[in-house]
Amino acid sequence: MTTREFDGVRLEKVREHVWEIPREGDMNVPARVLASEELLEQIGSDDTLQQLKNATHLPGMTDHAICMPDGHQGYGFPVGGVGATDARTGCISPGAIGYDINCLPEGTRVSLSHGRRARIEKLEERFEQEQAAVAAESGLTCSDIRLFTESSEKPVYEIRSETGDLVSATADHPFLTETGMRELEDIEPGDEVYLHPFEGFPDEEAPEFIVLDEEDFADEDPQLVRVLKERDLLPLRSSDEAFHRLLKLLGYHTGDGAFGDGITTFYGGREDLEAIRSDIEAIGFTPSRIYERERDHQIDGREFTRTEYSVRGQANAFKQLLIRLGAPDGKKVESDFTAPNYLEKLTDWQRALYLSAFFGAEMSAPDTVAPKNFYAPSVSHNRIADEAEAGEAFLRDLMAHLEDLGIETNSFERVESTQTAAGKVERFRFGVSSEAENLVRFFTQVGYRYNAEKRRKALVAAQYLKRKAEVIDERERAAEKARAMADGGAAINEVKDRLSSVNDRFIERSVYEQRKGRPRPPADFPDFSEYQERVTVREDGAVSTEVVSISEAGVAKVYDIGVAHDAHNFFAEGFVVSNCGVRMVRTDLTYDDLRGREEELVDALFEAVPSGLGGGGIAKGTADVVEAILERGVEWAVDEGYGVPSDLRRCEDEGRREDARPEFVTQKAKDRGRNQIGSLGSGNHFLEVQRVTDVFRPEVAEAYGLSEGQVVVLIHCGSRGLGHQTCTDYLRKIEKQHGDLLAELPDKELAAAPAGSALAEEYYGAMCACINYAWTNRQLITHRTREVFGDVFDADPMADLGMELLYDVAHNIGKKEEHAVGEPDADGERETRELYVHRKGATRAFPAGREEVPAVYRDVGQPVIIPGSMGAGSYVLRGGDASLDTSFGSTAHGAGRLMSRTQAKQEFWGGDVQDDLAEQQKIYVKAQSGATIAEEAPGVYKDVDEVVRVSDELGIGDKVARTFPVCNIKG
């Protein structure tokens, strides 16, 4: 048996073009990939296979979860994925059908690994090499960034917290609240959101130099050097990921570690030692389990017992690596170590890794000297008299590094001398200045690593100090205003009435006593202990904070990222944040009729058909119109003069889902759809004029009205913002109402409502209404396209040009369908059951005879339309005889992306792509931006010929005709 493996996912070849991921663990069914060897390599290059495997965990999943030949990674469920769940005992999953992404404006700072912050737009060229900080239930962690999106300008809003923190976002961007993720427009002043106060330092590029090489280990056994080289730790460069982890391990070990015979031991809390274990593993060594023992202690005559936890690095190579990096070997009090010299060469965020880890081990925790004021966190350090000079140098080095980072320190102190068995020991100390702004900088930029308790308390302290500063600023502004009003002749009572936010005594002192310096907080301002009781602190360090204002902030280009971690969130300025189809219209025109008029036609279509993000459509979207479209679909369009009766007969489900329930579509979704009726949108949505170049099955082509040389029009778009919003709305509802089911799934993006539940029925009704909207959207674009052709060719589009709809088929859809499932019985029959068939970026492909196929095509099979890229052909297929047994009556929906939009824009320049298509292939493209053209360049997609070959040879979608682009408009 032929097997393949991609990132730990094993596939077995069942037969030609069919690969199976065997069922294991909690998988409900196996998974299958329908692909050639060439396509399998491409599908296995991203997270598609793992997402497909995850999809098998959906309750009620039947037979197989399937990936089409054009499959690629999506959100939760792969694009090109098909999954059928039992309609009585299974579930329905919005994530397995498709939904939208929300956005943040340019300049928003995102928290990354190693205490770095970067502007979100700067991640575009390197997001796949980055990790973002994530708020997980178990604590703060980091996760690979798997997605970066950029959109044109959208309205954004500024949210301000009681602690003075600011972030801007689109109205639909989710923020973490105490009741889960809520979109910004659902949040009001007075509500609480979570904010992670740790800022870190700007993400400066690490300097490039060799920290250690083989010469540093010349006196060691060559086998030790070989171990380090095998782990890519020699040579060790200052920009290496391993070096950054070693900086933390080195700093902590210098404070609270010890060496034994080939052993490296770290002491600390259990939670913190787990983080140390992870970093040891990440650089290639195997740490021990966490050891636990009871130890007796005596301090100032007081005896007590406490539990000591430790973890060990058990390789001598690891020990020697830390020693060469500057870890003190032997008893620290008798050592001559100082801070490593190479720290001076590093960027701020790199130095902070070492310092914060050392402070996690050795610096005192945040604490108050008075109810509203804090001690200066301090570090003490002991050395025997002979090494006192080195001890002093070590602490002064740390002070200098902090000063370089903008953190002020108190004076260096020689605290005391004591006589011990080892001789005279000197004790030194310094502290971080307790001035409020300085403490906030220290707590939020350096702080404590490998010490979660100190870190969480520091972050709460930072929020408290920021809130205190905000209140003082408010009082200072009130004092200035009071003095200005009094100087202008206002009576003191008038001043008091106007400034009711502060008390009368404060106003009197401000006016009469002319106080010097900043005011104090009011008497009722909470003590730090009271503040700690009021706020909620998560395990990851995020602190609840009240929203004080939300205001319009204009429009801006917006961005978003997606992380691999199941929590699916990240930090933006510290805040914790987280249906389409295609139709083809035939004409009686030939390519010869069109030749020479391509540019005229593309300009006219671009002018007539709204495209791009945002509003603007063909029909006026009143509330009644939207309701009618959601209820009746294309029927409404035909009745309103936007189509002809034959359009209904040649559309999937005759352009109307009878199960549609508009009342279950939220008002917010309806409002988003009102101004987009009859518009293309953006991204991979397009209107393309094509010519038929090849006919493979003449009898079927004749039934479809296709012949070589003929001009056809392909329209690819969906339900715009209405469908996206509906899916997002129901994902949030499902997360709240069915969290128990969500907790059992391997990916939160697979959130599903149990079949038979009220929410499942509501979502299904709302989704069917969105399908009606999508069909109507394409119908109105068809109407406008007919008008343009009529104008350009001075002819009646129907009577003279024969612009009949060939077919309209949905791409992102979930449907109740009956299918034969399971193993055959003794008579060779399989059980027929009603299923929710989820098709995300896949196309229904029913064969001849199936009653859902329109009567006009029932004898030959359902038309299937497979768009290719702008520089390649597209295909018309018919539903294959094997589709029902192989893929729940489904096939591919396009060529399938090979590279992300970001990578596409790095590889291609929109203007060059546009020029090359026109000059070399006589394909004329017009779009709202060059970036859109670059994102959809021919080289961005898989080979559509190969995708269709697999479909044809498997018998799930039979080749009928091939088309080639003439002109194309995009959003």
Side-chain angles (χ1 to χ4, degrees):
M1 176 179 290
T2 302
T3 62
R4 298 293 306 278
E5 186 168 321
F6 299 88
D7 289 336
V9 179
R10 183 173 60 86
L11 300 99
E12 298 174 353
K13 189 171 185 178
V14 177
R15 61 179 188 275
E16 189 68 13
H17 305 324
V18 179
W19 301 82
E20 182 163 294
I21 302 173
R23 181 180 176 184
E24 61 182 18
D26 293 331
M27 293 170 63
N28 291 318
V29 293
R32 285 192 170 178
V33 180
L34 310 182
S36 62
E37 293 269 4
E38 175 187 341
L39 293 173
L40 184 63
E41 287 288 339
Q42 296 165 351
I43 290 169
S45 67
D46 58 23
D47 277 352
T48 303
L49 298 177
Q50 186 59 56
Q51 289 183 341
L52 184 66
K53 188 174 178 180
N54 289 345
T56 67
H57 293 71
L58 284 169
M61 186 65 79
T62 303
D63 283 1
H64 305 90
I66 303 166
C67 177
M68 294 293 123
D70 59 336
H72 59 90
Q73 111 184 15
Y75 248 147
F77 199 87
V79 178
V82 175
T85 59
D86 191 286
R88 291 182 298 104
T89 62
C91 67
I92 185 168
S93 170
I97 295 168
Y99 62 100
D100 200 9
I101 301 167
N102 310 291
C103 305
L104 302 161
E106 188 173 67
T108 302
R109 295 175 302 167
V110 173
S111 298
L112 305 176
S113 60
H114 302 313
R116 298 170 296 140
R117 272 200 172 186
R119 291 162 59 107
I120 191 167
E121 69 274 12
K122 300 296 184 183
L123 298 175
E124 179 176 6
E125 296 181 359
R126 56 186 173 90
F127 74 91
E128 290 166 313
Q129 287 78 50
E130 282 291 359
Q131 288 194 325
V134 170
E137 290 184 4
S138 58
L140 183 68
T141 188
C142 292
S143 174
D144 292 340
I145 300 176
R146 291 289 172 81
L147 178 72
F148 179 94
T149 65
E150 174 186 343
S151 303
S152 60
E153 292 189 341
K154 292 184 179 181
V156 294
Y157 301 83
E158 182 181 78
I159 181 170
R160 183 185 183 93
S161 76
E162 63 178 348
T163 49
D165 298 285
L166 299 170
V167 70
S168 295
T170 54
D172 50 3
H173 201 96
F175 284 73
L176 182 61
T177 71
E178 291 187 319
T179 58
M181 284 290 181
R182 287 166 54 194
E183 293 179 2
L184 176 55
E185 69 178 358
D186 295 329
I187 297 172
E188 298 178 351
D191 290 346
E192 291 200 339
V193 298
Y194 278 102
L195 190 143
H196 199 285
F198 190 80
E199 294 184 5
F201 289 94
D203 178 36
E204 297 177 322
E205 185 175 355
E208 185 73 38
F209 63 89
I210 292 177
V211 184
L212 296 174
D213 59 20
E214 289 188 48
E215 292 184 7
D216 293 294
F217 296 86
D219 57 344
E220 292 291 340
D221 186 329
Q223 183 176 347
L224 184 147
V225 173
R226 185 163 57 252
V227 167
L228 294 175
K229 291 177 71 174
E230 287 173 353
R231 288 160 174 75
D232 292 327
L233 296 172
L234 281 184
L236 182 65
R237 296 178 175 83
S238 55
S239 58
D240 289 347
E241 172 71 12
F243 176 62
H244 302 141
R245 296 180 188 273
L246 284 163
L247 280 171
K248 293 185 291 180
L249 293 168
L250 172 66
Y252 191 87
H253 190 273
T254 300
D256 207 354
F259 289 123
D261 185 12
I263 299 294
T264 306
T265 303
F266 299 83
Y267 301 96
R270 179 177 289 277
E271 177 183 357
D272 309 310
L273 293 177
E274 287 291 358
I276 289 173
R277 289 186 82 255
S278 294
D279 280 333
I280 294 173
E281 283 183 323
I283 62 173
F285 294 100
T286 302
S288 71
R289 62 178 176 85
I290 294 177
Y291 295 101
E292 175 182 339
R293 67 169 179 169
E294 301 294 321
R295 295 201 65 180
D296 296 327
H297 296 269
Q298 186 178 63
I299 297 179
D300 298 330
R302 183 172 62 91
E303 296 182 355
F304 61 95
T305 300
R306 71 178 181 88
T307 304
E308 178 186 83
Y309 299 98
S310 63
V311 69
R312 299 172 184 171
Q314 303 180 99
N316 186 44
F318 177 57
K319 171 185 174 180
Q320 297 304 325
L321 185 64
L322 286 182
I323 290 172
R324 299 308 193 283
L325 285 171
D329 190 10
K331 294 182 179 180
K332 294 170 190 173
V333 69
E334 300 175 4
S335 176
D336 64 352
F337 75 93
T338 57
N341 292 330
Y342 54 76
L343 290 181
E344 297 177 0
K345 302 179 186 179
L346 303 181
T347 62
D348 290 350
W349 62 266
Q350 289 177 304
R351 280 190 286 175
L353 293 175
Y354 175 87
L355 294 172
S356 60
F358 179 76
F359 296 149
E362 292 294 295
M363 183 171 276
S364 61
D367 201 2
T368 50
V369 64
K372 295 181 175 66
N373 297 306
F374 285 82
Y375 281 111
S378 62
V379 170
S380 297
H381 189 69
N382 299 331
R383 294 286 180 98
I384 60 172
D386 290 346
E387 302 299 345
E389 184 177 338
E392 179 175 342
F394 174 65
L395 283 200
R396 289 191 181 277
D397 282 345
L398 301 188
M399 293 172 66
H401 286 305
L402 282 174
E403 295 284 348
D404 286 346
L405 296 178
I407 311 295
E408 297 178 7
T409 61
N410 295 330
S411 300
F412 177 86
E413 298 179 274
R414 187 182 292 263
V415 181
E416 61 182 355
S417 299
T418 57
Q419 194 67 37
T420 70
K424 185 178 180 182
V425 173
E426 301 283 352
R427 184 179 176 212
F428 311 107
R429 181 174 64 198
F430 79 86
V432 173
S433 168
S434 60
E435 189 273 326
E437 287 187 12
N438 189 67
L439 280 182
V440 171
R441 281 196 299 275
F442 175 72
F443 291 151
T444 62
Q445 291 189 297
V446 179
Y448 308 86
R449 290 185 190 274
Y450 296 143
N451 196 312
E453 184 178 352
K454 289 182 186 178
R455 187 183 183 98
R456 282 192 285 265
K457 192 168 185 179
L459 296 178
V460 178
Q463 289 299 89
Y464 176 78
L465 290 169
K466 287 193 291 183
R467 177 59 186 148
K468 181 179 171 183
E470 283 287 297
V471 170
I472 291 173
D473 286 345
E474 291 167 7
R475 288 168 69 80
E476 190 168 41
R477 288 191 293 269
E480 291 174 355
K481 193 166 186 177
R483 287 191 289 267
M485 290 177 66
D487 291 344
I492 192 67
N493 286 337
E494 181 183 353
V495 176
K496 291 176 181 178
D497 289 340
R498 291 279 300 276
L499 301 176
S500 58
S501 62
V502 291
N503 62 43
D504 291 352
R505 177 60 182 147
F506 178 81
I507 292 174
E508 290 169 359
R509 292 184 62 195
S510 299
V511 172
Y512 297 135
E513 299 177 17
Q514 298 292 308
R515 81 154 44 83
K516 304 295 182 183
R518 281 167 61 79
R520 295 177 180 177
D524 62 354
F525 186 77
D527 296 345
F528 179 56
S529 59
E530 296 170 338
Y531 181 82
Q532 285 181 288
E533 292 178 4
R534 196 207 85 182
V535 300
T536 303
V537 187
R538 287 166 48 100
E539 287 297 310
D540 52 69
V543 182
S544 62
T545 184
E546 185 177 314
V547 174
V548 296
S549 67
I550 300 173
S551 56
E552 294 183 1
V555 296
K557 183 181 287 188
V558 290
Y559 306 82
D560 201 9
I561 61 172
V563 299
H565 195 280
D566 290 344
H568 294 294
N569 65 51
F570 61 97
F571 303 143
E573 299 295 350
F575 291 82
V576 185
V577 300
S578 152
N579 173 301
C580 73
V582 65
R583 65 165 43 192
M584 178 175 282
V585 179
R586 60 171 304 282
T587 78
D588 288 342
L589 291 167
T590 67
Y591 184 44
D592 288 339
D593 296 327
L594 181 55
R595 205 189 305 258
R597 308 185 72 171
E598 296 94 340
E599 291 186 74
E600 176 189 1
L601 182 60
V602 78
D603 287 343
L605 288 168
F606 191 77
E607 181 69 24
V609 178
S611 62
L613 285 161
I618 291 169
K620 185 177 181 181
T622 65
D624 288 343
V625 165
V626 173
E627 289 290 331
I629 290 171
L630 294 173
E631 173 70 30
R632 300 178 58 214
V634 181
E635 279 185 4
W636 171 87
V638 172
D639 287 350
E640 294 296 318
Y642 294 110
V644 296
S646 64
D647 291 335
L648 298 173
R649 296 192 295 271
R650 296 168 182 266
C651 185
E652 183 176 354
D653 294 337
E654 296 188 342
R656 179 182 183 183
R657 291 292 298 161
E658 296 287 348
D659 294 329
R661 299 289 298 275
E663 66 269 28
F664 293 142
V665 178
T666 64
Q667 190 59 49
K668 178 180 178 182
K670 293 173 182 176
D671 289 344
R672 288 188 68 181
R674 287 179 63 167
N675 297 321
Q676 297 180 331
I677 308 167
S679 59
L680 276 179
S682 63
N684 67 338
H685 293 161
F686 62 85
L687 185 156
E688 187 168 86
V689 179
Q690 305 173 330
R691 56 191 172 95
V692 178
T693 58
D694 302 275
V695 169
F696 306 103
R697 287 178 168 82
E699 71 287 355
V700 182
E702 183 179 358
Y704 290 171
L706 295 176
S707 59
E708 287 190 17
Q710 181 183 13
V711 170
V712 296
V713 181
L714 200 61
I715 299 167
H716 180 211
C717 63
S719 52
R720 299 297 320 273
L722 180 141
H724 292 152
Q725 185 61 51
T726 298
C727 198
T728 301
D729 290 338
Y730 278 93
L731 277 171
R732 302 295 162 254
K733 292 179 181 179
I734 288 169
E735 287 173 2
K736 288 182 180 179
Q737 294 187 29
H738 297 292
D740 53 343
L741 172 55
L742 183 61
E744 296 175 2
L745 296 173
D747 191 331
K748 183 179 178 182
E749 302 299 336
L750 292 173
S757 67
L759 195 54
E761 294 303 315
E762 288 177 16
Y763 170 64
Y764 188 69
M767 182 196 61
C768 289
C770 294
I771 296 167
N772 285 346
Y773 182 99
W775 280 325
T776 306
N777 188 40
R778 293 192 287 275
Q779 180 65 40
L780 266 63
I781 294 172
T782 300
H783 171 75
R784 185 59 61 83
T785 301
R786 285 168 172 162
E787 290 183 330
V788 169
F789 269 74
D791 291 342
V792 170
F793 292 99
D794 192 23
D796 184 283
M798 298 302 294
D800 299 329
L801 301 181
M803 297 188 71
E804 292 274 5
L805 177 64
L806 191 154
Y807 196 59
D808 185 309
V809 63
H811 278 173
N812 289 347
I813 193 170
K815 275 186 158 183
K816 288 182 181 178
E817 297 172 357
E818 289 191 350
H819 288 270
V821 297
E823 295 298 323
D825 60 19
D827 297 325
E829 299 293 327
R830 297 202 296 161
E831 180 187 2
T832 298
R833 300 207 321 245
E834 185 178 53
L835 308 174
Y836 282 121
V837 181
H838 300 71
R839 296 185 179 98
K840 179 176 180 178
T843 305
R844 194 183 76 175
F846 281 175
R850 182 90 179 197
E851 63 177 344
E852 294 95 333
V853 178
V856 67
Y857 300 131
R858 197 166 295 155
D859 290 341
V860 293
Q862 174 206 312
V864 177
I865 304 163
I866 308 288
S869 69
M870 290 184 294
S874 296
Y875 282 86
V876 178
L877 313 182
R878 62 127 175 231
D881 290 338
S883 67
L884 295 175
D885 288 335
T886 303
S887 58
F888 298 103
S890 310
T891 190
H893 86 308
R897 295 191 76 89
L898 268 178
M899 61 179 72
S900 68
R901 299 185 186 280
T902 300
Q903 185 182 352
K905 286 185 286 188
Q906 294 170 357
E907 302 258 346
F908 301 100
W909 183 254
D912 292 342
V913 174
Q914 192 173 23
D915 291 344
D916 289 345
L917 288 170
E919 293 170 8
Q920 298 176 20
Q921 301 190 64
K922 303 302 179 187
I923 301 170
Y924 298 86
V925 178
K926 195 156 188 177
Q928 293 286 353
S929 72
T932 299
I933 297 176
E935 290 172 1
E936 300 300 311
V940 170
Y941 285 89
K942 297 181 176 74
D943 182 355
V944 71
D945 296 333
E946 182 69 0
V947 169
V948 170
R949 182 180 75 85
V950 171
S951 176
D952 186 75
E953 292 182 6
L954 282 172
I956 59 176
D958 304 331
K959 288 195 299 184
V960 175
R962 187 177 188 273
T963 62
F964 193 77
V966 175
C967 59
N968 179 300
I969 68 168
K970 305 188 73 65

